[in-house]
Amino acid sequence: PREEIYGSYFYGSKHWNYYSREIDIGPLILTVKQEFRQTADYLRIMVRSSGNIIHGMLPAATICRGTLSSHSEVLRFISQEIGLTSPLRLITIPSAPAALLRIDKISLKDEYKIGLLYVKEGQETEEAMFENQEHSPAFDAFLESLGDRVRMRGFSKYRGGLDNANDLTGLHSVHTTYRNKQVMFHVSTLLPYDKNDSQKLQRKRHIGNDIVCVVFLEAKAIKFNPACIKSSFLHTFVVVQVDVSSNPYEYNVSVVSRRRVPLYEPRLVERHRFEKGPEFRDWILNKVINGETSCHKAPDFAKLHVGISLCIV
């Protein structure tokens, strides 16, 4: 995994990071480190693009016959080997290695913030969905199956960006620990409501910046359209539809992701209906955690990560 490569072989020791933007593959980062082994010079090289990673050792003699005098020889050689057309530029900002390490450690994370949107019959725009101030007993039961309702003031565990000092982001939220991973849900009806804020920015700034969102669709006549939520970050929606007039504890589940988000477990191949209970809790928590990990592997999201790292130069 890339987080082990950079953290184990480069971070904390002298190395150089370069970046380039290629028309075909987008942003690319090259990391180079000189090592001396058994009377010979070597170069440890790591190349990252939005969807791929290359790591290996290269004898300096492969690049030049004499002593390696400058990195320009290395850059020229690597550019030719992997077919780069744009120049590689040195990243000079001191915080760059820490930023790259932070991005690389995404797949090792054990804390997740997940959006949770309550939708009623007839609500087909994000303005209407974020307008809900209260929710139903069926939604309360659903929240109970996900985790514990916690008082945010003084809350000492993972809070997913919510305020735990002055109640600025609501009095309560829903938190759980699943397989040694902490999950904080941004519940739309528990986030602050301002009747004068037509865009409901206090709510959208949390859910709109999540990567995975669970949609509790308490409706029979409408379907959820993910295009109605305008967000650059949201990549996967897990839609839980319930017919409260028939059985408020039976969930009809569907999953929709942006194009090129890799498929992830657990699948919905054999079943898509669940009853409230431990089996459903296990399935949906596993799904949202794996969903966020999978979204980070999508080309568009990977480019976003690399773009963030390039913005620091």
Side-chain angles (χ1 to χ4, degrees):
R2 68 172 63 187
E3 68 278 355
E4 295 180 4
I5 295 171
Y6 188 70
S8 299
Y9 296 109
F10 295 96
Y11 187 74
S13 59
K14 188 174 182 179
H15 65 279
W16 295 265
N17 294 304
Y18 298 85
Y19 76 93
S20 176
R21 286 184 179 273
E22 293 295 305
I23 296 176
D24 294 334
I25 62 175
L28 176 145
I29 293 180
L30 165 69
T31 302
V32 179
K33 175 186 174 184
Q34 288 184 263
E35 295 185 10
F36 188 75
R37 292 188 173 189
Q38 299 177 348
T39 71
D41 281 322
Y42 284 82
L43 292 173
R44 185 179 293 277
I45 295 173
M46 179 179 181
V47 181
R48 341 164 188 216
S49 65
S50 60
N52 296 288
I53 179 171
I54 301 171
H55 170 246
M57 298 287 290
L58 187 66
T62 304
I63 300 173
C64 61
R65 293 183 179 180
T67 303
L68 191 63
S69 58
S70 72
H71 281 185
S72 61
E73 298 171 278
V74 178
L75 302 183
R76 184 166 53 250
F77 177 84
I78 293 176
S79 294
Q80 292 174 350
E81 286 295 307
I82 61 180
L84 298 184
T85 58
S86 300
L88 286 158
R89 304 182 185 279
L90 180 65
I91 301 175
T92 57
I93 191 167
S95 60
L100 291 174
L101 184 68
R102 188 165 57 250
I103 292 170
D104 284 348
K105 284 186 174 180
I106 285 172
S107 63
L108 292 179
K109 65 185 295 186
D110 55 9
E111 298 172 336
Y112 297 81
K113 55 187 185 73
I114 305 295
L116 185 44
L117 185 61
Y118 176 65
V119 181
K120 296 189 294 186
E121 193 75 81
Q123 295 181 333
E124 300 184 73
T125 66
E126 68 172 21
E127 290 79 13
M129 296 171 188
F130 284 114
E131 182 72 24
N132 292 319
Q133 300 179 55
E134 299 178 348
H135 55 250
S136 67
F139 188 56
D140 263 329
F142 177 69
L143 295 180
E144 290 174 4
S145 69
L146 294 180
D148 301 317
R149 182 177 292 218
V150 296
R151 179 71 169 92
M152 286 310 302
R153 178 175 288 188
F155 186 69
S156 60
K157 295 182 180 180
Y158 175 65
R159 51 193 175 89
L162 299 178
D163 176 55
N164 65 349
N166 301 301
D167 294 333
L168 298 179
T169 55
L171 301 180
H172 299 90
S173 192
V174 175
H175 173 276
T176 194
T177 300
Y178 176 75
R179 296 181 180 176
N180 297 319
K181 300 179 187 296
Q182 291 191 72
V183 181
M184 175 61 80
F185 289 94
H186 292 151
V187 185
S188 61
T189 51
L190 298 181
L191 291 169
Y193 175 84
D194 182 357
K195 64 179 181 180
N196 297 318
D197 178 12
S198 60
Q199 294 182 298
K200 301 298 176 284
L201 295 178
Q202 277 286 341
R203 293 177 166 186
K204 189 176 178 182
R205 77 182 181 93
H206 289 288
I207 296 176
N209 285 314
D210 292 329
I211 298 169
V212 176
C213 181
V214 177
V215 178
F216 189 82
L217 183 60
E218 197 172 291
K220 294 188 296 182
I222 63 170
K223 299 294 183 183
F224 175 74
N225 179 9
C228 73
I229 306 295
K230 302 174 182 65
S231 168
S232 298
F233 286 90
L234 284 171
H235 272 56
T236 286
F237 294 89
V238 179
V239 182
V240 179
Q241 189 165 14
V242 61
D243 180 358
V244 293
S245 63
S246 174
N247 183 352
Y249 308 119
E250 182 181 73
Y251 306 128
N252 187 3
V253 182
S254 58
V255 179
V256 58
S257 299
R258 288 195 186 185
R259 187 169 59 91
R260 301 179 74 184
V261 171
L263 294 175
Y264 55 94
E265 300 292 338
R267 306 285 182 89
L268 279 174
V269 176
E270 297 182 358
R271 60 180 299 187
H272 60 88
R273 290 186 182 274
F274 296 86
E275 290 282 342
K276 178 179 179 291
E279 182 184 9
F280 175 66
R281 168 185 159 80
D282 182 74
W283 185 91
I284 195 167
L285 291 177
N286 196 13
K287 190 68 174 177
V288 297
I289 289 172
N290 290 344
E292 180 167 325
T293 302
S294 185
C295 287
H296 283 294
K297 299 175 183 177
D300 289 345
F301 211 95
K303 288 179 182 178
L304 178 61
H305 284 312
V306 178
I308 290 172
S309 67
L310 295 185
C311 285
I312 65 177
V313 301

